[in-house]
Amino acid sequence: MILDKCAIAAHNDQLQARHQRAFDFVSHEIVQTEEILEKLQQFQIAIPSWALGTGGTRFGRFSGAGEPATLEQKIADVGLLHALNGSSDAISLHIPWDIPKDAEALKQYAATFGIHFDAMNSNTFQDQVGQEHSYKFGSLHHVDPRVRQQAIDHNIEVIDFGKQLGSTCLSVWLADGSSFPGQLNFRQAFENTLASLQEIYAHLPVDWSLFIEYKAFEPYFYSTTIGDWGQSLLLANKLGPQAFTLVDLGHHLPNTNIEQIVSLLLMEGKLGGFHFNDSKYGDDDLTAGCMKPYQLFLIFSELIDGMDARGMVHESALGWMIDASHNLKDPLVDLLQSVEAIKIAYAQALLIDRKSLRDAQAQNDVVAAQEILQQAFRTDVRPLLAEARRRIGAALDPIGLFREQALRDRLVAERGKNSVATGL
């Protein structure tokens, strides 16, 4: 579905007076308004193909209506999001859920929506129809070299698909682990994983990156072979300069200091990118910023500080992507909320008075440091985000326009109530 630009213009006209009042009030208090607006217009967050359909839990999945049943429909949904918010110009594919039949035609189709292809994601946590060897006991760490080779070959195939689509990154997440003491030789599992990743790494084009994701637990509960950022970093360092750690905000134990992890990975030049989501207990895959907006802000505070120290370009030096599971909400609305929350945290972090913060830190002035951070966090930057959207022809209120135009009903009319997204 292509959203009529006239509908966006009419929507913005209705809201313009109210928006202008809010924007004038906020911008009057912010010296660097134009600089922040420029950064907001450039900052894009990739949408994962699997998040465009209803997610599920181990107890069940309750599909929504009008879900994208084909890869072309998934691209169209991302195009719709991008038309609404101007901030979602890339889709991240998951193989084998999203195997392209005609890569060149797919690229041209995506271009009609202003969309390109972000990181490619492999899948060795599920057995596929006709698969020779099972991943029940792991993939790249498996004790059987035939299973490891099957997983290696799959990842190389994913790289080949990505090359055809213009992607420049392979993202690897392994479910490999154990649920019972004694089940696994930890050392051997890690060595097998490293050797397998080395074979995959050898097939990377020179302009590609390999992102290594980690997770504290699940689906196994005693050990995970890449269970934390230290293990991911160790692998990335051993592999070489094209390998990096990928941080999924939900892949940590409760109360983990993710902002400190981010700071150190940036310092080492080994932070590859993000999977944004939120959680209360574990890998809940909830809407970004819905539970811990202050933590999200603090993460971006460290990101901006570390990236600026290294001269990194905010919008392109790291991989920015959402990874969420929409069990209750309309997936498109949930994604709009996540993108908004991420960009709010980014804008708030841009407001931090870095010189004053460094002075407070140098003087051990704990109160001043906290006040400086919270002054930025408590600033309502939503009018800045809306103005950035308006300037690039997107909607002042993306969710409001989504509902005004009854876009889900229109998708249901096009695809039917029983259209179900591929993958999870």
Side-chain angles (χ1 to χ4, degrees):
M1 176 192 298
I2 297 178
L3 185 60
D4 189 348
K5 291 186 180 296
C6 292
I8 298 176
H11 163 85
N12 287 352
D13 286 344
Q14 290 178 352
L15 299 180
Q16 179 58 34
R18 186 178 70 184
H19 161 68
Q20 195 64 50
R21 288 193 298 272
F23 175 68
D24 288 344
F25 178 80
V26 173
S27 60
H28 181 73
E29 300 295 324
I30 298 173
V31 176
Q32 67 272 42
T33 296
E34 288 300 319
E35 179 185 343
I36 292 174
L37 287 173
E38 184 177 347
K39 289 180 181 295
L40 287 172
Q41 290 173 64
Q42 295 169 348
F43 195 75
Q44 301 286 322
I45 298 139
I47 304 297
S49 61
W50 59 92
L52 297 162
T54 308
T57 70
R58 63 193 180 95
F59 296 104
R61 179 174 185 259
F62 304 94
S63 296
E67 293 187 0
T70 66
L71 182 47
E72 288 77 9
Q73 289 178 351
K74 292 178 181 180
I75 291 170
D77 276 6
V78 176
L80 181 58
L81 292 173
H82 190 47
L84 288 163
N85 67 17
S87 302
S88 307
D89 71 353
I91 183 171
S92 185
L93 301 189
H94 205 294
I95 306 298
W97 300 342
D98 305 306
I99 294 178
K101 296 184 175 66
D102 185 337
E104 194 57 40
L106 209 60
K107 285 171 63 178
Q108 293 177 14
Y109 181 67
T112 64
F113 297 97
I115 302 299
H116 67 274
F117 293 90
D118 198 70
M120 302 293 292
N121 299 265
S122 58
N123 181 334
T124 59
F125 56 85
Q126 289 178 323
D127 286 349
Q128 307 299 323
V129 176
Q131 182 176 308
E132 185 175 0
H133 304 291
S134 175
Y135 295 132
K136 179 177 181 179
F137 294 105
S139 59
L140 296 184
H141 87 179
H142 205 284
V143 294
D144 188 337
R146 295 172 301 174
V147 179
R148 297 199 300 273
Q149 190 60 53
Q150 177 180 271
I152 292 166
D153 292 343
H154 168 66
N155 277 276
I156 293 172
E157 178 188 43
V158 174
I159 293 172
D160 291 339
F161 282 130
K163 287 160 61 177
Q164 296 172 34
L165 292 169
S167 174
T168 58
C169 180
L170 171 67
S171 181
V172 175
W173 173 70
L174 302 180
D176 297 16
S178 65
S179 284
F180 300 97
Q183 175 185 337
L184 194 66
N185 183 300
F186 297 146
R187 218 169 42 250
Q188 182 188 50
F190 190 87
E191 289 170 349
N192 286 346
T193 301
L194 174 60
S196 299
L197 286 172
Q198 285 171 331
E199 287 197 46
I200 296 166
Y201 186 84
H203 284 78
L204 282 181
V206 293
D207 60 340
W208 272 54
S209 299
L210 173 64
F211 289 173
I212 305 168
E213 195 170 353
Y214 59 90
K215 190 174 185 181
F217 68 95
E218 193 189 37
Y220 299 104
F221 295 98
Y222 175 61
S223 73
T224 306
T225 298
I226 310 179
D228 59 33
W229 69 281
Q231 294 167 42
S232 171
L233 175 61
L234 183 60
L235 289 167
N237 281 333
K238 287 178 178 293
L239 289 172
Q242 291 174 253
F244 302 88
T245 292
L246 179 70
V247 176
D248 183 306
L249 299 190
H251 286 190
H252 304 84
L253 297 175
N255 300 317
T256 297
N257 192 330
I258 302 174
E259 52 267 39
Q260 185 177 20
I261 294 170
V262 166
S263 175
L264 297 177
L265 286 171
L266 265 176
M267 180 182 72
E268 291 298 302
K270 280 296 183 179
L271 179 62
F274 282 86
H275 280 179
F276 289 108
N277 49 54
D278 211 338
S279 67
K280 186 169 179 65
Y281 299 106
D283 188 21
D284 304 338
D285 270 353
L286 299 175
T287 317
C290 72
M291 291 287 175
K292 304 169 187 171
Y294 192 52
Q295 182 187 56
L296 186 58
F297 160 76
L298 293 174
I299 289 168
F300 267 102
S301 173
E302 295 300 330
L303 282 169
I304 289 172
D305 187 63
M307 293 176 78
D308 287 350
R310 296 178 62 86
M312 298 167 70
V313 179
H314 294 180
E315 68 268 18
S316 60
L318 297 176
W320 311 105
M321 197 183 88
I322 292 170
D323 182 10
S325 179
H326 322 289
N327 303 327
L328 301 175
K329 300 177 187 174
D330 183 308
L332 295 180
V333 174
D334 194 301
L335 288 163
L336 289 171
Q337 289 180 316
S338 282
V339 171
E340 178 86 349
I342 293 162
K343 296 193 75 168
I344 285 172
Y346 175 54
Q348 289 170 328
L350 289 171
L351 292 177
I352 296 171
D353 183 342
R354 296 288 168 183
K355 182 181 183 306
S356 295
L357 181 59
R358 291 190 190 95
D359 290 344
Q361 291 167 340
Q363 298 166 24
N364 291 318
D365 191 337
V366 182
V367 172
Q370 179 180 329
E371 289 296 308
I372 291 164
L373 287 180
Q374 293 190 346
Q375 174 64 32
F377 175 68
R378 289 170 175 159
T379 301
D380 186 358
V381 296
R382 290 175 298 174
L384 297 182
L385 270 66
E387 176 65 13
R389 286 194 298 269
R390 186 194 67 79
R391 292 188 181 189
I392 56 177
L396 284 172
D397 179 6
I399 294 174
L401 183 56
F402 184 93
R403 292 183 165 182
E404 286 171 18
Q405 293 289 311
L407 295 181
R408 178 55 65 184
D409 291 341
R410 289 163 61 180
L411 288 171
V412 172
E414 286 182 9
R415 301 169 182 173
K417 289 185 177 180
N418 298 320
S419 180
V420 178
T422 54
L424 289 176

